[in-house]
């Protein structure tokens, strides 16, 4: 009933965020506190006009209709409220990460050719002071070294000024970097220097990973999304190589021009679709998720400071993992497979052509897709740290298998087995690399997410940059086999380094929570709920309030454990003592429901009440079965302890039970608005009869069976 003059005078200029959300205002146009234009409002008076044609209520309706047609949410608000906004924003970040990876690895299949003088018109005239292997791996080292250095700063910078600004700026400069590499193609050192400079602006992966941690709430969602974005990164590495092979006829350096165009395209996509998070979280959607996941407050669970010991344990293990992985790929392909199946003097005819080698080297990265699919399952079973150790061991074992096959007979059959084993085993090896991001997310405070992911990306790129070059030098000096065996040893060392992480809280397998029916949820009285869940008596009013709040929040009511008769027999006296107050509360509560239903003005409450009671019948089937089975055992033990010879008169006992517990709702039927009131009336009659029992008499099941023979319909409470 606020006067319209007051409503119209509370105005201001629409801010930037509302403009970004699609609310366009004319110049000097004023808005209400909720964003509507005062200029467009037809009502300015706070009183009813003299003719009485328009009431204040009607004016208010017109007023709010005016601004509601023009109000818009800010973009960061849409990130939470609109599913497609989150989806497109996440896709934009993934696309950018992939395009940067494509540019970083665009020429990888061509490096061996570029390092071989005379092999192609684009090959370098000399690579001094490096020989073939060391020169082949020095070229990607330059680019990856730039990415590693950039990753130190991009993640931390994005913590301060925002993810979108950093990722967009780096991507724009990255495109110019690809052009610079193309124009520096005439000399080995000129190309290497330009590759390093371009790499300094390609450290966008840690920013993308930090963004995922920003917008998703639950541990499972973050783990899945971090795995997906790393998968896009690895696919980008493969995609760059595929483009290089497909464009081979146009020149070995021409793919760089396409790379520049693709990275600039990703900048356009970022501008249009990526939305900064602005300190809001995307909550899980759906009753089941709300009940099972959202009661865990992610931000409250985060540490206030980084555990430095754990951080460097993770980083050290990741560095060793990347070094060991180099022995598997690329060294098992080049030089091992290249020497054995292409360049070996003992071969009458090459088994693996140079083109086939190129395809094998780029397509193996596609095996990250099945690796990504199995990783969540592995994490659930043994945790991210356990998956990390498993991936390290698998890398070492797979490398040994390929080494043994390649050093066997130089036949086509052996080569086929080499390829099969490499492709089948590779998905297991990537699990260790997919585990680092989720582990770092667990130990990082909210304002350090970009920093820790940047540190991870630095180590990853440093390992991928330096390890192939160092092992390539060792291969030139000692031979291919010794260099690969060194890599195998480093893989197993990485596993040992990561073993302590398996014992760190939050990094091991996720503890299986009891279902929501059997645990305390956020905001509840922990002591009271725990007492109820243990099967102990709690005030009926308190239990009813807890269950009503749960049902209204889309969560299942409590399902207390059914204790055994042996556990209860010492406390039967206390249990009997509370019977009267429990029945009295149930009677009063039923009376309240019946009173509401009798009032014609409360008819809209009927569907709500029916849904609340029906939800009790639709709880977890396993819990329902377990509770009834234990109650049956309790009842049998009680009868035996109370002198009933059920073993000689089972039919009589069944008849007594049927008299005490007549059918309330036939099996398979639901509670409906038509039968709901009848159920409540029956329950009310039963409670009235129970309350007629003199309180000084001990309340016992024996007394009920002997003197009343009616049912406690409180089953529905």
């Amino acid at each position: 009933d606020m006067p319209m003059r007051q409503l119209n005078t509370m105005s201001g200029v629409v801010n930037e965020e509302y403009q970004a959300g699609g609310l366009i205002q004319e110049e000097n146009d004023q808005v209400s506190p909720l964003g509507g234009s005062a200029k467009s409002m037809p009502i300015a008076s706070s009183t009813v006009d003299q003719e009485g044609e328009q009431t204040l209520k009607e004016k208010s309706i017109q007023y709010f209709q005016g601004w509601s047609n023009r109000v818009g949410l800010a973009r960061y608000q849409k990130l939470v409220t609109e599913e497609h906004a989150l989806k497109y924003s996440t896709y934009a970040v993934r696309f950018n990460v992939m395009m940067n990876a494509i540019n970083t690895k665009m020429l990888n299949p061509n490096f061996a050719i570029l390092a071989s003088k005379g092999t192609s018109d684009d090959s370098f005239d000399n690579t001094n002071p490096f020989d073939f292997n060391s020169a082949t791996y020095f070229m990607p080292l330059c680019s990856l070294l730039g990415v590693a250095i950039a990753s130190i700063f991009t993640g931390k910078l994005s913590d301060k000024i925002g993810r979108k600004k950093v990722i967009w700026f780096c991507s724009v400069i990255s495109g110019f970097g690809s052009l610079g590499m193309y124009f520096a193609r005439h000399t080995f050192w000129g190309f290497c220097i330009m590759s390093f400079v371009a790499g300094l602006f390609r450290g966008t992966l840690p920013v993308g990973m930090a963004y995922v941690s920003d917008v998703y709430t639950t541990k499972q969602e973050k783990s899945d999304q971090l795995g997906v974005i790393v998968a896009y990164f690895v696919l980008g590495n493969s995609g760059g190589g595929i483009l290089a092979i497909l464009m081979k006829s146009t020149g070995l350096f021409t793919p760089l021009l396409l790379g520049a165009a693709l990275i600039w395209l990703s900048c356009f996509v970022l501008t249009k679709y990526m939305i900064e998070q602005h300190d809001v979280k995307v909550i899980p959607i759906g009753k089941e998720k709300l009940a099972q996941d959202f009661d865990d407050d992610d931000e409250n669970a985060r540490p206030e400071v980084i555990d430095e010991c754990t951080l460097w344990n993770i980083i050290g293990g990741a560095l060793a993992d990347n070094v060991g992985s180099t022995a598997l790929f690329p060294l098992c392909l080049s030089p091992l497979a290249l020497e054995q199946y292409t360049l070996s003097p003992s071969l009458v005819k090459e088994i693996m052509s140079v083109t086939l080698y190129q395809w094998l080297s780029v397509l193996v990265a596609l095996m990250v897709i099945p690796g990504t699919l199995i990783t969540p399952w592995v994490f659930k079973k043994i945790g991210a740290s356990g998956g990390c150790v498993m991936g390290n061991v698998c890398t070492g074992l797979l490398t040994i298998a390929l080494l043994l096959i390649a050093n066997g007979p130089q036949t086509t059959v052996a080569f086929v087995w080499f390829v099969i084993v490499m492709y089948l085993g590779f998905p297991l090896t990537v699990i260790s690399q997919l585990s680092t991001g989720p582990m770092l997310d667990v130990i990082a405070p909210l304002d350090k997410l970009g920093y820790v992911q940047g540190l991870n990306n630095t180590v990853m790129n440093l390992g991928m940059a330096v390890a192939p070059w160092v092992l390539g030098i060792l291969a030139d000096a000692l031979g291919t086999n010794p260099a690969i065996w060194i890599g195998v040893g480093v893989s197993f060392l990485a596993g040992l380094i990561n073993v302590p992480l398996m014992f760190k809280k939050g990094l091991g397998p996720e503890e299986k929570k009891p279902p929501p029916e059997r645990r305390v949820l956020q905001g509840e009285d922990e002591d009271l709920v725990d007492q109820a869940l243990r099967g102990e008596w709690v005030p009926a009013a308190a239990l009813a309030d807890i269950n009503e709040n749960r049902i209204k929040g889309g969560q299942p009511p409590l399902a207390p454990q059914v204790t055994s008769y042996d556990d209860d027999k010492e406390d039967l006296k206390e249990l009997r003592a509370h019977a009267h107050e429990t029945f009295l509360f149930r009677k009063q509560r039923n009376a309240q429901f019946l009173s509401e239903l009798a009032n014609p003005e409360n008819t809209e409450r009927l569907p709500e009440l029916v849904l609340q009671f029906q939800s009790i019948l639709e709880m977890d089937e396993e819990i329902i079965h377990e509770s009834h089975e234990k109650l049956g055992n309790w009842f049998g033990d009680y009868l035996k302890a109370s002198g009933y010879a059920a073993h000689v008169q089972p039919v009589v006992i069944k008849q007594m039970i049927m008299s005490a517990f007549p059918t309330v709702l036939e099996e398979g039927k639901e509670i409906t608005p038509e039968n709901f009131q009848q159920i409540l009336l029956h329950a009310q009659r039963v409670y009235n009869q129970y309350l007629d029992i003199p309180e000084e008499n001990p309340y016992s099941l024996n007394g009920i069976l002997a003197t009343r023979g009616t049912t406690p319909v409180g089953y529905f409470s």
Side-chain angles (χ1 to χ4, degrees):
D1 295 329
M2 180 181 291
M4 297 309 301
R5 184 179 296 111
Q6 289 178 281
L7 288 172
N8 281 324
T9 54
M10 291 192 300
S11 60
V13 180
V14 69
N15 62 32
E16 180 183 354
E17 285 297 337
Y18 278 93
Q19 291 175 357
L23 179 63
I24 303 174
Q25 297 287 333
E26 298 178 10
E27 186 176 3
N28 297 325
D29 204 5
Q30 292 182 317
V31 296
S32 75
L34 296 175
S37 171
K39 177 190 277 188
S40 62
M41 300 300 108
I43 304 301
S45 174
S46 64
T47 59
V48 182
D49 58 50
Q50 294 179 351
E51 298 180 1
E53 294 178 354
Q54 195 171 39
T55 66
L56 179 59
K57 181 176 180 180
E58 290 171 341
K59 292 182 178 182
S60 300
I61 292 173
Q62 289 184 24
Y63 175 82
F64 284 107
Q65 284 176 340
W67 62 256
S68 65
N69 290 332
R70 301 189 60 180
V71 72
L73 295 177
R75 294 192 74 200
Y76 77 89
Q77 294 171 329
K78 292 182 180 180
L79 189 65
V80 177
T81 62
E82 300 178 17
E83 190 67 23
H84 73 274
L86 172 64
K87 180 174 69 174
Y88 292 148
S89 183
T90 307
Y91 283 165
V93 174
R94 293 176 188 168
F95 181 66
N96 177 268
V97 167
M98 179 184 281
M99 293 304 103
N100 269 288
I102 283 176
N103 275 265
T104 303
K105 296 295 184 74
M106 179 72 80
L107 299 185
N108 271 28
N110 298 340
F111 286 145
I113 302 173
L114 291 172
S116 303
K117 182 179 179 180
T119 305
S120 166
D121 291 341
D122 288 327
S123 298
F124 294 117
D125 292 334
N126 71 78
T127 59
N128 294 333
F130 302 120
D131 293 327
F132 170 73
N133 280 327
S134 51
T136 298
Y137 292 121
F138 184 77
M139 284 182 278
L141 177 151
C142 295
S143 179
L144 292 173
L145 188 60
V147 175
I149 294 173
S151 298
I152 299 174
F153 303 103
T154 54
K156 192 171 183 178
L157 184 62
S158 71
D159 286 335
K160 296 183 179 296
I161 68 172
R163 315 294 184 202
K164 186 173 182 178
K165 292 177 182 177
V166 173
I167 201 171
W168 187 90
F169 175 78
C170 287
S171 299
V172 170
I173 305 301
S174 174
F176 287 107
S178 293
L179 293 181
M181 291 169 64
Y182 178 80
F183 290 116
R185 67 188 183 278
H186 301 294
T187 65
F188 173 75
W189 280 104
F191 177 80
C192 289
I193 292 171
M194 199 61 229
S195 295
F196 171 75
V197 173
L200 291 174
F201 298 94
R202 289 175 179 164
T204 59
L205 177 61
V207 184
M209 295 176 74
Y211 182 76
V212 166
S213 295
D214 287 339
V215 298
Y216 287 98
T217 303
T218 68
K219 183 178 178 180
Q220 185 61 51
E221 283 179 321
K222 288 183 180 184
S223 179
D224 292 345
Q225 292 298 327
L226 286 170
V228 170
I229 202 167
V230 172
Y232 269 70
F233 173 77
V234 177
L235 289 175
N237 291 340
S238 178
I242 292 172
L243 291 175
I245 296 172
L246 294 176
M247 298 178 68
K248 182 172 63 174
S249 60
T250 65
L252 299 182
F253 292 98
T254 308
L256 291 169
L257 301 178
L258 176 61
L262 290 174
I263 197 66
W264 285 334
L265 174 63
S266 78
C267 292
F268 170 77
V269 174
L270 285 174
T271 302
K272 185 171 178 61
Y273 294 108
M274 183 182 176
I275 304 173
E276 277 288 9
Q277 177 241 357
H278 279 239
D279 297 327
V280 296
K281 283 284 183 181
V282 178
I283 64 171
I285 298 298
K287 289 184 178 180
E288 182 177 354
K289 277 188 169 293
L290 283 171
Q292 295 183 1
D293 296 325
F294 197 58
D295 54 293
D296 299 319
D297 191 340
D298 173 72
E299 303 314 324
N300 290 338
R302 285 195 175 278
E304 295 182 1
V305 295
I306 298 175
D307 181 343
E308 294 290 338
C309 181
T310 303
L311 171 65
W312 291 108
N313 193 156
I314 295 172
I315 295 301
L319 179 60
D321 179 32
N322 280 281
V323 173
S325 297
T326 299
L328 170 63
F329 182 77
L331 260 66
C332 278
L333 271 178
S334 173
L336 181 62
L338 207 57
E339 290 175 349
Q340 295 297 107
Y341 302 115
T342 303
L343 305 176
S344 175
S346 61
L347 290 175
V348 177
K349 182 181 178 182
E350 67 180 23
I351 297 173
M352 178 179 69
S353 66
V354 173
T355 301
L356 179 57
Y357 154 74
Q358 289 179 313
W359 279 110
L360 289 175
S361 66
V362 298
L363 292 180
V364 71
L366 295 178
M367 292 297 100
V368 75
I369 296 176
T372 303
L373 294 176
I374 64 174
T375 294
W377 180 84
V378 172
F379 286 0
K380 285 181 181 179
K381 294 294 182 181
I382 59 177
S385 57
C388 188
V389 173
M390 188 189 85
N392 299 147
V393 173
C394 288
T395 299
L397 294 176
L398 179 60
T399 306
I400 292 174
L402 295 177
L403 194 59
L404 295 176
I405 294 172
N407 282 280
Q410 294 174 308
T411 64
T412 302
V413 173
F415 172 69
V416 170
W417 274 111
F418 181 92
V419 174
I420 291 173
V421 171
M422 179 175 66
Y423 272 70
L424 289 180
F426 194 79
L428 297 176
T429 68
V430 303
I431 295 174
S432 57
Q433 295 179 338
L434 295 176
S435 68
T436 310
M439 287 193 293
L440 289 172
D441 182 79
V442 170
I443 69 167
L446 189 62
D447 61 345
K448 298 292 184 182
L449 289 173
Y451 165 70
V452 296
Q453 297 297 354
L455 197 59
N456 172 41
N457 203 39
T458 295
V459 169
M460 181 175 66
N461 282 284
L462 193 62
M464 291 191 300
V466 176
W469 180 59
V470 172
L471 291 178
I473 293 175
L474 290 175
D476 286 338
L478 305 176
T480 299
N481 286 355
I484 293 178
W485 277 112
I486 291 173
V488 170
V490 175
S491 288
F492 289 131
L493 175 63
L496 290 174
I497 293 173
N498 289 318
V499 165
L501 298 175
M502 299 175 66
F503 304 97
K504 294 286 185 179
K505 184 179 179 181
L507 303 184
E510 188 171 348
E511 296 180 8
K512 188 175 181 180
K513 296 178 182 175
E517 298 93 328
R518 291 278 171 83
R519 72 172 189 265
V520 182
L521 300 183
Q522 186 178 3
E524 293 181 336
D525 185 323
E526 186 172 349
D527 293 336
L528 188 65
V529 174
D530 276 337
Q531 185 178 346
L533 289 174
R534 289 194 300 268
E536 300 174 9
W537 178 86
V538 297
L543 188 60
D545 287 342
I546 291 171
N547 286 333
E548 184 175 358
N549 289 333
R550 280 175 165 241
I551 293 171
K552 286 181 178 179
Q555 300 166 341
L558 287 174
Q561 293 287 347
V562 180
T563 52
S564 68
Y565 178 77
D566 287 338
D567 292 335
D568 288 344
K569 62 184 178 181
E570 300 298 330
D571 301 316
L572 289 181
K573 195 170 186 179
E574 181 184 357
L575 191 61
R576 292 188 186 105
H578 293 297
H580 184 271
E581 64 180 278
T582 299
F583 292 150
L584 182 61
F585 171 78
R586 296 300 179 192
K587 173 186 174 180
Q588 292 170 343
R589 194 166 182 81
N590 270 7
Q592 177 187 346
F593 290 147
L594 288 167
S595 176
E596 288 188 41
L597 295 178
N599 188 344
E601 295 183 1
N602 291 331
T603 53
E604 70 277 1
R605 274 274 286 163
L606 181 58
E608 178 188 344
L609 290 173
V610 170
L611 285 175
Q612 288 183 18
F613 279 68
Q614 181 63 29
S615 68
I616 297 173
L617 299 180
E618 296 175 349
M619 289 172 64
D620 186 277
E621 282 295 332
E622 185 176 341
I623 291 178
I624 293 174
H625 175 76
E626 175 195 299
S627 296
H628 283 78
E629 185 176 42
K630 289 184 176 180
L631 276 171
N633 293 334
W634 192 99
F635 192 71
D637 291 340
Y638 175 83
L639 289 176
K640 181 180 178 181
S642 300
Y644 289 90
H647 58 290
V648 296
Q649 48 182 358
V651 175
V652 174
I653 297 298
K654 290 178 183 178
Q655 290 169 338
M656 294 172 68
I657 293 174
M658 291 170 64
S659 297
F661 300 97
T663 301
V664 175
L665 185 67
E666 292 183 12
E667 186 175 1
K669 288 190 175 182
E670 296 183 349
I671 300 175
T672 65
E674 290 75 24
N675 64 19
F676 180 58
Q677 185 168 217
Q678 189 66 43
I679 292 172
L680 292 179
L681 288 169
H682 282 312
Q684 194 70 350
R685 181 185 177 191
V686 171
Y687 291 134
N688 285 337
Q689 291 177 337
Y690 284 175
L691 288 167
D692 284 341
I693 301 174
E695 290 189 44
E696 62 270 12
N697 290 346
Y699 177 78
S700 66
L701 184 59
N702 184 36
I704 296 175
L705 295 176
T707 63
R708 302 298 167 187
T710 46
T711 174
V713 192
Y715 169 76
F716 290 103
S717 57

